[in-house]
Amino acid sequence: MRHALIAAALALGLASCPALAGDPLAAPPLAQMLPAGRTMPAILARFAADTASVEHVYDVPWGTAQHNALAALYRSWQTRLAEIDPAGLELDDRIDHLLLTRELGRRLRELDFQAQRLAQAQPLLPKLDQLLTLLEARRLGQTQDGRTSADTLDAVTRALADNAKHPDTTPAVLLRATRILDSSREQLKAWFDYYADYDPEFTWWVRQPWQVLDAQLQASSKALRTQAGADDAETIIGDPIGRAALVQGLADEMIPYSPEELMQLAERELSWGEQELRKASAELGYPDWSKALEHVKTQHVAPGQQTALARELAHEAIAYLDQHQLLTVPELARVDWRMNMLTPQAQLQAPFFLGGEDVWVASPTAEMSQERKLMTLRGNNRYFSRAVVHHELIPGHHLQHFYAQRYNPERQLFQTPFWTEGWSLYWELRLWELGFARTPEDRIGMLFWRNHRAARILFSLGFHLGTITPQQAIDMLVERVGHERANAAAEVRRSFAGDYPPLYQAGYLLGGLQLLALQHEIVGGGMMSDRQFHDAILQGGPMPIEMVRARLRKHAPAVDFQPSWRFHAIDRSALPSY
């Protein structure tokens, strides 16, 4: 079916487009697919498979069985990996050996961190550990007695019912407890469904206690959410991790900067963007950049035409890449993406385009309020969308995904937003340098997103440091970037809802700046052409950007490697001391 769809698309005229002159269905040369005689890819693949097997069995979140099993697996792999002398490995294997060594350490620290977070919420979850142990017993193949199980469910129900108020608990911990309760409730239903009616005696004992506990878990979660002040689904609270965890996270990402240094960098980037925005606004005859931004926001397509705009912008970006020989876009990658529509509910957290293998389009729907319809149209105007489409498709995430499936797929273990989001953001920076923005409106559209990414560094790091609130983050996006307020709230909600790691939002611009600095060093230094540079990054697969640099410069990392690449100048005298 997929083959037929692509063939049909070509038959309808895509083959006549210069960008699609080759055969997208032609198999690549064998030399591109044959293994290079390396050691580490098989080890990485085995580790990923073993981890998936452990998680397949020990699948109860927050349970001690999962924690202990993963910790034992990681420590065992640390021992096995230590048997390999990295000095005897070639460059790519040396990099993989170092990255897996660091990844194992990071995962063990993350297990300990999550255990600490659970312990903080434990007073809100009396006897929940007994329930989790019961749920884990099924996965371990242990026979469960109906009456004993019913007694356990009853005890958990009573403990939760008697544990109503927690006046000294922070909203963040209250909400963390609700997530644990909600997860446990889902697991409990799966546990009961496994036995229900298949074991008549067990069912006779357990059905009623399960129903009562199910209702209590739901009620306790609702009560904690109310106490946290988060009854409304649009309320933003978040769960800050603190400075020590941020510093450790940056070390894991091989970013040799403090959070405060990165916020200084972001402030400098945002100030530069605001200055450039004033220049572009003046060209349009607006002394106030906010009025120029309002003009740009009115340049949106009619309802129902957003997908056509996205397709037009996608082809424009690909043609520009081809014209300037910036990177290799395989023929199949040009046609194997699809467009999907974001639901109105999804747009509460994602008011703009999203992407990956495909692109997800934000567009107003009939049931939206008039205000939301207009905000959606204005926030996805032609000039904002121009940068978003190439960020999500080609040369951005879609092309990234295409290469990642075909080159060094075992390096998916080392996924990092500094590489994944940094790559797509890098192209916004690089295309700006190349003059892809032809008009003042084009520049305003690109600057809007660049300023948005700088603000993300400021408010995401500031939030986890405890210096910026969600409301202050919304105000920053409205006042300094120019967001519609509802869209700004959706962006902040997305950042703090817990669906993304704490450093994820900072990874966009910081990763982009790392890659831009590397492009200036490698291509600017005459070591590679643009096409060679970009192809090498995509073919190398995900990893911290400092390791991308080591790989392209052919510098094997030392066994005791410590991140040291200062890709951006910082005035340390202006920083607080710790």
Side-chain angles (χ1 to χ4, degrees), residues 124-126 155-164 181 213 216-217 220:
L124 312 180
L125 310 167
V156 176
T157 300
R158 291 175 185 276
L160 288 172
D162 292 340
N163 197 44
L181 287 172
L213 178 54
Q216 183 61 55
L217 288 167
S220 294

Side-chain angles (χ1 to χ4, degrees), residues 450-524:
R450 186 162 178 168
N451 292 349
H452 170 72
R453 311 304 187 187
R456 267 184 171 177
I457 298 173
L458 288 170
F459 75 67
S460 64
L461 296 186
F463 173 76
H464 288 290
L465 288 171
T467 60
I468 292 179
T469 67
Q471 186 57 53
Q472 288 171 327
I474 294 171
D475 293 341
M476 182 188 299
L477 288 176
V478 172
E479 295 163 9
R480 298 195 64 183
V481 179
H483 272 283
E484 303 288 320
R485 186 161 289 275
N487 291 345
E491 280 294 304
V492 174
R493 187 179 303 110
R494 176 187 178 201
S495 299
F496 299 157
D499 300 327
Y500 293 90
L503 286 172
Y504 197 93
Q505 306 303 348
Y508 286 76
L509 183 55
L510 293 176
L513 290 171
Q514 284 184 296
L515 286 169
L516 188 66
L518 189 56
Q519 192 274 347
H520 291 172
E521 178 182 348
I522 300 291
V523 179

Side-chain angles (χ1 to χ4, degrees), residues 168-198:
D168 298 327
T169 308
T170 66
V173 175
L174 289 166
L175 282 183
R176 190 188 312 157
T178 69
R179 290 195 295 271
I180 296 171
L181 287 172
D182 293 343
S183 169
S184 300
R185 183 174 176 236
E186 290 179 10
Q187 290 286 329
L188 177 61
K189 184 179 187 306
W191 173 87
F192 176 76
D193 288 345
Y194 177 80
Y195 295 104
D197 296 328
Y198 299 103

Side-chain angles (χ1 to χ4, degrees), residues 78-222:
Q78 283 181 322
T79 300
R80 190 66 67 231
L81 203 57
E83 296 174 6
I84 301 174
D85 179 9
L89 301 176
E90 56 90 28
L91 175 63
D92 272 293
D93 278 345
R94 284 275 289 272
I95 289 173
D96 285 343
H97 185 277
L98 173 69
L99 290 176
L100 182 55
T101 300
R102 293 175 64 92
E103 178 66 12
L104 291 168
R106 185 197 69 78
R107 291 186 180 210
L108 285 166
R109 287 191 297 274
E110 181 64 21
L111 286 176
D112 289 342
F113 183 70
Q114 290 304 323
Q116 293 168 15
R117 306 282 269 185
L118 175 61
Q120 291 170 354
Q122 199 72 54
L124 312 180
L125 310 167
K127 293 189 182 297
L128 191 72
D129 57 332
Q130 296 180 21
L131 175 61
L132 296 176
T133 299
L134 195 66
L135 302 181
E136 290 169 336
R138 173 172 73 98
R139 285 302 188 207
L140 297 174
Q142 297 173 2
T143 301
Q144 300 197 46
D145 176 74
R147 180 171 181 173
T148 303
S149 297
D151 287 343
T152 299
L153 300 186
D154 184 62
V156 176
T157 300
R158 291 175 185 276
L160 288 172
D162 292 340
N163 197 44
K165 290 293 183 181
H166 310 278
D168 298 327
T169 308
T170 66
V173 175
L174 289 166
L175 282 183
R176 190 188 312 157
T178 69
R179 290 195 295 271
I180 296 171
L181 287 172
D182 293 343
S183 169
S184 300
R185 183 174 176 236
E186 290 179 10
Q187 290 286 329
L188 177 61
K189 184 179 187 306
W191 173 87
F192 176 76
D193 288 345
Y194 177 80
Y195 295 104
D197 296 328
Y198 299 103
D199 186 335
E201 182 178 353
F202 183 93
T203 307
W204 187 88
W205 281 107
V206 170
R207 183 184 298 278
Q208 193 271 348
W210 164 68
Q211 291 173 339
V212 175
L213 178 54
D214 179 76
Q216 183 61 55
L217 288 167
Q218 188 174 23
S220 294
S221 176
K222 181 179 180 181

